[in-house]
Amino acid sequence: MTEEKIDAGRPARGALGTRIAAVVILVVAAVVLADAIRISAEGGFGPSQPGFFPMIVGVGLVAFGIAFLLRTTAVPDLTLREQAQAEHAETHWRTLWTVIIALVVYAYVIEPLGYILATTLFFFGIAWVGGSRKWIRDLIVAVLFATVIYFGFTQLLGVRLPAGLLGI
């Protein structure tokens, strides 16, 4: 990586990413707080109520998001900016976006296909995106992992996971 002068007055490569991350943290905090307030309004605001822990998490995320936003804008942390620039240069963005898109697709197909099929396809695909070309091994691991997790949750823990096409 070439040396690039860090100037606190202008956004450097990687600085935009840290600012976006700070805003995303604040948006997630708002969603968590809104849901925590909704849950608490139905069940009460005490420490033993279901909305108490999400409320603490939401407040913590707001504090962290504001602090992070300040460190990336108003009081820039030059070391953080240099690290973000280095990470930005080393990140394989196509792989990252492929995994994000795969997660979104997985969320949509898990109900109709079922947990075992959707998870097998997801893990197999992610292994391929990650660079593995050992198809048989990856398929065996994906099937075994998805099946063990499915039966572990449904039979041992009593948690319902979508059966989908297999109808198990």
Side-chain angles (χ1 to χ4, degrees):
M1 185 171 125
T2 61
E3 287 296 319
E4 185 175 329
K5 183 180 176 192
I6 303 294
D7 178 13
R10 70 175 176 86
R13 190 179 68 189
L16 179 61
T18 56
R19 291 175 182 163
I20 291 171
V23 171
V24 167
I25 291 169
L26 287 171
V27 169
V28 169
V31 170
V32 169
L33 277 175
D35 282 346
I37 290 170
R38 183 184 52 78
I39 291 169
S40 295
E42 295 170 4
F45 287 94
S48 63
Q49 300 303 320
F52 185 74
F53 184 70
M55 186 76 70
I56 291 173
V57 170
V59 169
L61 280 171
V62 167
F64 178 72
I66 289 172
F68 194 47
L69 190 60
L70 288 174
R71 285 187 60 145
T72 59
T73 56
V75 186
D77 182 348
L78 299 182
T79 305
L80 174 67
R81 187 174 292 171
E82 288 173 357
Q83 184 180 2
Q85 286 175 317
E87 293 294 327
H88 178 78
E90 295 174 8
T91 300
H92 191 261
W93 292 101
R94 190 173 114 203
T95 301
L96 175 69
W97 284 109
T98 303
V99 170
I100 290 170
I101 291 168
L103 280 167
V104 171
V105 170
Y106 176 69
Y108 280 102
V109 301
I110 193 168
E111 192 68 38
L113 290 182
Y115 180 84
I116 293 175
L117 287 177
T119 303
T120 297
L121 291 172
F122 176 73
F123 283 151
F124 183 73
I126 294 303
W128 183 79
V129 167
S132 176
R133 296 299 178 256
K134 299 187 184 228
W135 300 78
I136 295 171
R137 180 201 64 193
D138 295 341
L139 185 60
I140 290 169
V141 169
V143 169
L144 286 175
F145 181 80
T147 305
V148 167
I149 295 298
Y150 179 82
F151 286 110
F153 270 82
T154 57
Q155 302 302 314
L156 299 176
L157 299 175
V159 176
R160 187 190 79 74
L161 294 174
L165 297 176
L166 295 179
I168 298 174

